[in-house]
Amino acid sequence: MARFSNGSTHQRRRALAVADLAAVDPDSLRALAFRRRTGPVEVLAEALGMPIAVAEDIAVIAKSYQPHTTITAAADEAVDRLVRTLGGYDERTANRIALLVQACDATATLVANTLAGLAGPPVPKTRRVAPDGTTVEVDLTDTPFGAGPHACPGRLHALALADGLVQAARAG
């Protein structure tokens, strides 16, 4: 997936994610989130033309997504199910899964924080591996969607999705 690559590989993989996101108008995503009143993964999956049932497997995968977390057999099995559902072992499928995984906890936290009146980014820091192999933590306080070539391509979508869910929650 794009997030864990650099150079031309990153550019090629990121282009796949950008193309998928370009097919979803953020305002339509906001409206869908308001109407559906489900979790962010279900809404984004539906907007991308995927079955909303993928959300269950995405939640399992999200727990093993970060490099510092343990990859479990349950996560591997969830990936296998999603790959069969979404089209096979290729970069496009991997990046579609990544879009949903990245929307899972971060967007849910953004919604929860907004409803609770809490400020700050939903993901306060991220980790990168330096060329020498050491892990570097990056503070996201001032750049909650990242910066540079690895900035989140779904920033507008995430904000629209969260806004629709917040509006739905407040409307009761």
Side-chain angles (χ1 to χ4, degrees):
M1 57 184 72
R3 182 163 186 251
F4 301 117
S5 57
N6 290 305
S8 62
T9 301
H10 174 261
Q11 291 170 352
R12 182 182 69 251
R13 291 173 178 168
R14 182 182 173 90
L16 293 169
V18 168
D20 274 334
L21 290 169
V24 179
D25 173 63
D27 289 332
S28 296
L29 188 61
R30 179 183 292 106
L32 180 63
F34 184 82
R35 279 194 318 275
R36 292 290 184 238
R37 298 171 189 242
T38 59
V41 175
E42 290 90 345
V43 174
L44 184 58
E46 182 176 342
L48 291 169
M50 297 181 224
I52 61 171
V54 301
E56 206 169 294
D57 281 331
I58 292 297
V60 174
I61 295 167
K63 292 180 178 91
S64 293
Y65 176 67
Q66 295 293 333
H68 64 283
T69 57
T70 302
I71 298 173
T72 65
D76 284 342
E77 292 164 6
V79 168
D80 287 340
R81 282 190 298 275
L82 285 173
V83 166
R84 286 192 303 274
T85 299
L86 300 179
Y89 286 93
D90 58 26
E91 285 187 337
R92 180 168 190 251
T93 300
N95 282 286
R96 296 184 94 204
I97 291 170
L99 285 173
L100 296 175
V101 168
Q102 291 174 351
C104 186
D105 294 338
T107 307
T109 301
L110 178 59
V111 171
N113 287 354
T114 302
L115 289 170
L118 301 174
V123 179
K125 60 185 171 185
T126 190
R127 292 172 180 84
R128 296 285 186 258
V129 177
D132 67 1
T134 60
T135 300
V136 177
E137 288 191 351
V138 179
D139 182 353
L140 296 176
T141 301
D142 295 327
T143 54
F145 290 93
H150 284 269
C152 176
R155 178 182 177 275
L156 294 176
H157 295 82
L159 293 172
L161 178 55
D163 184 48
L165 292 171
V166 166
Q167 287 181 38
R170 287 180 175 157

